[in-house]
Amino acid sequence: MTSIGGAATPGMVDWNLAVATATRLVRPGPEVSRDEARAVVAELRRHAKASEEHVRGFTRLGTEDTHDTPVLVVDRPGWVRANVAGFRELLKPLLDKMQERRVSTPGGAVLGAVGGKVTGVELGMLLSFLASRVLGQYETFAPATRELPAGAGGGGRLLLVAPNIVHVERELDVQPHDFRLWVCLHEETHRTQFTAVPWLRDHLEGEIQSFLGETDVDPMTVLERIREAAQSLAGGRPEAEEDDGGRSFVEIVQTPAQREILGRLTAVMSLLEGHADFVMDGVGPEVVPTVSEIREKFQQRRAKGASRLDMALRKLLGLDAKLRQYRDGERFVRAVVDQVGMGGFNRVWTSPNTLPTKAEIAKPADWVARVHRKAES
């Protein structure tokens, strides 16, 4: 997702056209009556509120007032608009850098006049693909807009994508009320992570900006990447991911310095996603009666994926890496909690120096030895 936003520089991509295209192409979602839709929205809001207490109690993370991070129940077009705004805000330094390079490129003016429209449509196609798959999202770097409020003090917002939640609960044939609460527990954990650990947002943003600052890539290369993904989505090149070894957007722009930064970012994201999975399953048995059934069916769905085209796009966009983050991060959290308890695990939130490395995510005992031995010496 990050790399998609990176391609959409002002002038290189028509942002408004990208949003309009995604909104037009995205599937409408499952059929529900107006009363059913209102009931789903109301229930998700109740579950989001209830999840605060459940997550705080289980994680033992004290948080400041979370009212600075609103909960928004959105449809698929709403998710598209929210993410476009977030991308533009977070990736502005890279966008400016690419804009400067494009201006100095022969034919840059033509690319701006014509290529921006074309790439805007192709970007919209990718956003429409993703908009039907996300259940919920804590937007850490979300700018406030008239339609989509965000925390006034730099806080983010919690998005729950109602049609996707209803679609998946029907697809899995699970108890709707339990599934909705289960999803809320995961997303509320992310909100708790950032509200309880004040330095985390700035640290993560700093790492991302360092990664982007190291980027030195021809804008045409990135545009071609979007074009390949869009053509795959349209059925024009279903083998695109095999032509270059299945590299994702992120992998094609790495310098040696970026690889180091990306390793740290991968470790942090694995921690955050794995912690959320661990919490939702830990809280589950007490408040979600059918949590075992939900987890089993959901894991099968994650592992199975969808069509070959879906798998190709997930690889191209780097979404397969996100699935590994859930798995590896959850294993790390579980192993650490088993060894030193929840209080011992929570030392991970002390400072950037106590975050696990990518190697420690794979070997939790090494993190325990490093952090606890240092604290006790």
Side-chain angles (χ1 to χ4, degrees):
M1 293 299 295
T2 296
S3 299
I4 296 175
T9 53
M12 293 180 64
V13 173
D14 187 327
W15 277 104
N16 292 332
L17 184 58
V19 173
T21 300
T23 302
R24 177 170 55 85
L25 294 179
V26 71
R27 300 172 185 174
E31 292 187 8
V32 295
S33 68
R34 182 172 297 182
D35 288 343
E36 288 174 321
R38 288 173 177 167
V40 170
V41 170
E43 183 174 23
L44 287 172
R45 287 176 175 156
R46 290 197 304 271
H47 285 331
K49 181 63 178 177
S51 294
E52 291 184 38
E53 183 177 351
H54 296 316
V55 170
R56 292 181 191 182
F58 183 80
T59 63
R60 304 177 195 172
L61 289 175
T63 73
E64 299 176 359
D65 192 349
T66 58
H67 288 110
D68 190 41
T69 55
V71 177
L72 306 178
V73 182
V74 298
D75 57 10
R76 291 168 177 175
W79 179 88
V80 169
R81 289 191 294 270
N83 277 266
V84 164
F87 294 156
R88 295 181 72 173
E89 181 76 11
L90 182 63
L91 302 175
K92 188 177 185 302
L94 177 61
L95 306 186
D96 291 344
K97 184 177 181 179
M98 293 180 68
Q99 174 73 2
E100 291 175 3
R101 173 170 288 196
R102 195 208 69 184
V103 169
S104 64
T105 300
V110 175
L111 176 62
V114 180
K117 299 291 184 182
V118 174
T119 311
V121 171
E122 293 170 342
L123 177 58
M125 294 170 65
L126 295 181
L127 289 171
S128 70
F129 168 81
L130 295 168
S132 63
R133 283 155 175 78
V134 177
L135 301 182
Q137 176 183 359
Y138 180 74
E139 280 200 296
T140 314
F141 310 106
T145 67
R146 180 179 301 178
E147 296 179 336
L148 297 162
R157 57 185 168 225
L158 185 61
L159 303 180
L160 297 169
V161 191
N164 295 351
I165 293 173
V166 172
H167 170 78
V168 173
E169 71 191 26
R170 291 180 179 179
E171 177 186 334
L172 298 181
D173 190 25
V174 293
Q175 214 286 334
H177 304 294
D178 287 1
F179 183 74
R180 294 166 194 174
L181 177 55
W182 189 70
V183 171
C184 288
L185 288 169
H186 181 101
E187 303 308 331
E188 177 57 37
T189 301
H190 287 318
R191 183 160 69 155
T192 296
Q193 290 163 347
F194 284 93
T195 55
V197 186
W199 55 264
L200 184 57
R201 180 188 183 278
D202 289 342
H203 172 72
L204 190 59
E205 182 177 20
E207 291 281 60
I208 293 172
Q209 294 301 341
S210 295
F211 179 88
L212 297 177
E214 289 288 334
T215 298
D216 185 19
V217 61
D218 180 3
M220 290 303 297
T221 301
V222 180
L223 296 182
E224 179 61 25
R225 227 55 189 136
I226 293 180
R227 187 160 293 112
E228 289 178 1
Q231 289 171 346
S232 293
L233 184 60
R237 287 186 58 188
E239 298 85 19
E241 87 285 3
E242 296 177 354
D243 293 343
D244 56 9
R247 294 180 299 167
S248 71
F249 277 112
V250 169
E251 292 170 320
I252 68 166
V253 299
Q254 288 184 55
T255 65
Q258 282 181 309
R259 282 193 287 273
E260 293 185 13
I261 300 168
L262 188 61
R264 295 195 297 268
L265 279 170
T266 298
V268 174
M269 298 311 298
S270 296
L271 171 69
L272 298 179
E273 296 293 357
H275 184 234
D277 265 13
F278 178 78
V279 170
M280 66 198 270
D281 285 346
V283 173
E286 293 186 7
V287 299
V288 182
T290 59
V291 65
S292 297
E293 176 190 359
I294 291 173
R295 165 55 77 186
E296 181 180 359
K297 290 183 175 180
F298 197 76
Q299 289 286 57
Q300 290 174 353
R301 182 180 185 272
R302 272 183 182 171
K304 180 180 178 181
S307 65
R308 180 174 178 276
L309 178 58
D310 187 39
M311 296 295 289
L313 282 164
R314 289 200 318 190
K315 180 181 289 293
L316 184 61
L317 299 173
L319 300 182
D320 54 332
K322 187 173 180 65
L323 298 180
R324 290 195 297 272
Q325 289 170 2
Y326 287 119
R327 180 192 64 214
D328 297 344
E330 196 274 341
R331 288 175 181 170
F332 171 83
V333 176
R334 186 172 301 280
V336 171
V337 172
D338 286 346
Q339 188 169 347
V340 296
M342 186 63 74
F345 166 78
N346 280 341
R347 288 187 182 178
V348 78
W349 311 117
T350 303
S351 75
N353 292 329
T354 58
L355 291 172
T357 65
K358 188 175 180 181
E360 288 170 340
I361 287 288
K363 295 183 178 180
D366 290 353
W367 179 86
V368 172
R370 175 174 68 88
V371 173
H372 283 261
R373 183 184 302 135
K374 181 177 181 180
E376 293 164 3
S377 61

